[in-house]
Amino acid sequence: MSLLILIIIFTAVGGVLSVMAAAVFLLLPDHRRAAVLPHGISFAIGALLAVAFWGLIPEAFSAIKPEQFQSLSGTILAGVLGFFVLEKLLIWRHCHSGNCEAHGDEDDHDHDHGHSHSHGAAKSAGALIILGDGIHNFVDGVLIAAAFLTDVHLGIVTSLAVAAHEIPQEVGDFAILLHSGYSKSKALFYNMLASLTTVLGGVLAYFGLEDLHDSLPYFLALAASSFIYIAVADLIPSLHKKTDMKTSLQQIALIAMGVLLICSLHGIAHGMEG
């Protein structure tokens, strides 16, 4: 079997398999899923931040020279600010006229415009998670292809490690998309679509890995900035709506679980690759 076909098969496995495994979350009954969803948001925050700070950013810095550190840090900063601008544009687009709050002084419009603005922000968070996941999966595809070009057995192990590593994050992505108002079918469709960028990254890497190699750390940095922005700007504020001690402790525990699980899987994946 040709190396290109192997790369296509195993990048698809690395991307699509994790989405299908995480999609079990969608099979829960509506009332059970509604009860689990807030906990899923807390878990997603931990998972996203761990992927960014424990996985993507260290990988990006390890692949560049010290004199490039500032430019890579600047890429992360530019990414966070860029995603803020992008989210603002998405909210404006959802509000159609860009003035969801423009009539806030009129009492009879306060509730409608406030709800529209809130719904627009929720929708934009869903769009950003799809975009960020697409970038992240593209980089995963490049990494899988690079492993195959080094050794076929290393490529197979890497693709399986990527799939295992992605499952908890994909569960968090489903929780975010449902929280953002997406239906189950749309959440599955868009998550699956984002997973296919793994194949795109693998194919492009096969034909031009040398050209992609220098820009790979910057792709990693952009993916990290998207996850940081989503977790900090969109998800964490939603947790502050409930301030009782029991809920707060549950949120902290679930965030910690998300961090610990991703860090553990990341360590296992590196052990398997080694």
Side-chain angles (χ1 to χ4, degrees), residues 119-185:
H119 188 58
K123 278 289 187 182
S124 68
L128 288 179
I129 197 68
I130 295 165
L131 177 61
D133 208 25
I135 296 171
H136 183 194
N137 290 335
F138 177 85
V139 173
D140 281 342
V142 173
L143 295 175
I144 290 171
F148 267 104
L149 291 169
T150 303
D151 178 76
V152 171
H153 293 95
L154 179 62
I156 293 171
V157 169
T158 300
S159 65
L160 294 176
V162 164
H165 176 83
E166 287 287 323
I167 289 171
Q169 183 193 318
E170 296 294 350
V171 172
D173 289 351
F174 277 123
I176 294 166
L177 291 175
L178 294 174
H179 175 72
S180 300
Y182 287 75
S183 65
K184 289 190 291 184
S185 59

Side-chain angles (χ1 to χ4, degrees), residues 1-245:
M1 190 177 295
S2 76
L3 195 58
L4 177 59
I5 293 174
L6 280 173
I7 288 172
I8 291 172
I9 290 172
F10 281 92
T11 50
V13 167
V16 176
L17 182 63
S18 59
V19 173
M20 296 308 296
V24 173
F25 175 70
L26 301 178
L27 300 178
L28 294 173
D30 289 345
H31 68 281
R32 184 65 61 88
R33 194 173 59 254
V36 170
L37 187 55
H39 302 305
I41 295 299
S42 297
F43 178 85
I45 291 168
L48 288 173
L49 291 176
V51 168
F53 286 106
W54 196 262
L56 298 177
I57 292 175
E59 288 286 346
F61 276 98
S62 69
I64 61 172
K65 299 175 181 177
E67 57 266 27
Q68 296 175 284
F69 283 2
Q70 194 166 26
S71 65
L72 190 63
S73 296
T75 300
I76 297 171
L77 174 61
V80 171
L81 297 176
F83 282 111
F84 166 76
V85 173
L86 178 59
E87 183 172 36
K88 185 69 73 175
L89 293 172
L90 289 168
I91 292 171
W92 281 343
R93 181 179 179 276
H94 178 80
C95 295
H96 300 296
S97 60
N99 63 346
C100 284
E101 296 179 317
H103 300 289
D105 294 334
E106 301 176 29
D107 292 341
D108 56 343
H109 288 289
D110 277 354
H111 178 74
D112 289 342
H113 286 292
H115 175 74
S116 179
H117 183 268
S118 175
H119 188 58
K123 278 289 187 182
S124 68
L128 288 179
I129 197 68
I130 295 165
L131 177 61
D133 208 25
I135 296 171
H136 183 194
N137 290 335
F138 177 85
V139 173
D140 281 342
V142 173
L143 295 175
I144 290 171
F148 267 104
L149 291 169
T150 303
D151 178 76
V152 171
H153 293 95
L154 179 62
I156 293 171
V157 169
T158 300
S159 65
L160 294 176
V162 164
H165 176 83
E166 287 287 323
I167 289 171
Q169 183 193 318
E170 296 294 350
V171 172
D173 289 351
F174 277 123
I176 294 166
L177 291 175
L178 294 174
H179 175 72
S180 300
Y182 287 75
S183 65
K184 289 190 291 184
S185 59
K186 282 189 175 181
L188 179 60
F189 172 76
Y190 285 118
N191 235 9
M192 190 67 71
L193 194 64
S195 76
L196 293 177
T197 60
T198 311
V199 180
L200 177 63
V203 172
L204 289 179
Y206 175 80
F207 288 108
L209 188 61
E210 289 187 4
D211 295 330
L212 281 171
H213 186 267
D214 291 338
S215 58
L216 182 57
Y218 297 93
F219 279 113
L220 290 167
L222 283 175
S225 65
S226 72
F227 292 160
I228 294 167
Y229 180 81
I230 292 161
V232 173
D234 289 316
L235 300 185
I236 287 178
S238 72
L239 299 189
H240 294 318
K241 293 177 181 178
K242 292 187 176 182
T243 57
D244 62 280
M245 182 61 70

